[in-house]
Amino acid sequence: MPPAHPFDDDKLKEECGVFGVVGVADAANFVALGLHALQHRGQEAGGIVSHHPTEGFNSVRRFGYVRDNFTRQSLMETLPGPLAIGHVRYSTAGSKGAAIRDVQPFFGEFAMGGAAIAHNGNITNAIALRRELIERGSIFQSSSDSECIIHLMARSLQRNIPERMEDALRRVEGAFSIVAMTRTKLIGVRDPLGVRPLVLGKIGDGWALSSETCALDIIGAELVREIEPGEMVVITADDGVQSHFPFRKQSPKFCIFEHVYFSRPDSIIGGRSVYETRRQIGVELAREAPVEADLVCPVPDSGTPAAIGFAHESGIPYGMGIIRNQYMGRTFIEPTEQIRNMGVRLKLNVNRALIRGKRVVLVDDSVVRGTTSRKIKQMILDAGAAEVHFRIASPPTAWPCFYGVDTPQREKLLAATMSEEEMREHLAVDSLKFISLDGLYRAAGEASGRNNSCPQYCDACFSGEYPVAPSDMIAKGFQLKAAE
Ligand code: SF4
């Protein structure tokens, strides 16, 4: 599968996707399909755990794409049963380029039976928890923050697994959307702020949990609703969905970057089409940062809906000025230095006939380090563009994310050290404008924009206002934004 963005190394990366099914024959096959639809959330590795009433728990964890691993019949036959969960990962708190021991779902054997968990998000006090657990005798198998949850569950005195999980998660800070399973139960939990997504679907007599609705579509499941922030659902084939709220209630802080970039455009978030939100971001951008130009081009694919909105609102014609090679998969071998140096041209090409002599507005979803923006600008100029104007569908990314998204260190983020005008000079473009935070909130359906006293979303990577203090990072010397 080609990366979600052709310049993946200059983009923030979502860390994980989770999926689970109960109450259908050969649940693992549905999970494999669901994970395939969530592949954009993590391409490094994936795993599935299933349970069969007589054959017990089975697990397969592999590096690589879902389609390369979980499509072989012989492998899928090793994952029988009506209950299964799965996980795709990039890599986050675990080591980068990690070992198979870091690939989820993780499994724990407790006195009352086994349990497997798959976690999307990041535990911001994992280092402190791990130290404490190791001092008290826990033996960790992986370098992943998520394994803390299994060890906390093992130490809990509660009588059943869902209660042990609640106990464990009350000690955990940060972001978690979890899909877990016992021998008979599918469990879904979202952290009290609901930072990462999780939705509930119905498939025949069974149920599904998924990071995004696009993965429900692929298995023919119907969206029932989102799991609410702070909610735990315990689902069995016989009794259906039992819901409760084990955590102290807090005002939700869903990740606004899911709207901008991470989620697939065919997913629904908060009842809104992600595609429509992105298109609306383009509309807001055109109102906030108009420019005289001849052509609006997306940086494919993630800039496309915003470029469509920009073109519509501004009246400037829309065109595919950059064409992406759809077949640039990870299997492409770059055999020589000369070919490796071709870099972006392996992945994107400029539509010269369209660009030549035009004043071009390039719409992209974000600027992280800025390295790729410079290359794209140069390609457009080399193709004979008269002017290049960048319009960016997110505010300047000036702070790292500690809630399950891989971000460069703060000093590597262009916007952390430069003003907008300095970034424009650095990128050497005719103009550079980012959507405002208020404009982004309006596009996401908040008609009055951002509520600065209690923001409706997490937007810490733009604002520096972290809804959960990243305590491990603060202990390592990370400086929070000074109070204004
Ligand atoms: S810091 Fe940014 S990427 Fe991370 S959860 Fe918040 S909005 Fe999302």
Side-chain angles (χ1 to χ4, degrees), residues 195-196 255-257 262 400-401 403 405 458-461:
V195 175
R196 304 254 76 88
C255 165
I256 202 160
F257 224 135
F262 300 135
C401 175
Y403 308 135
V405 168
C458 175
D459 56 22
C461 48

Side-chain angles (χ1 to χ4, degrees), residues 119 122-126 129 145 148-149 152 165-176 178 191-192 247 468:
H119 168 216
N122 190 50
I123 299 172
T124 52
N125 64 338
L129 283 175
D145 62 325
C148 288
I149 300 167
L152 289 167
M165 190 175 289
E166 284 174 25
D167 245 9
L169 293 175
R170 282 196 199 96
R171 298 278 330 271
V172 161
E173 296 168 8
F176 52 83
I178 289 173
D191 66 74
F247 312 113
V468 179

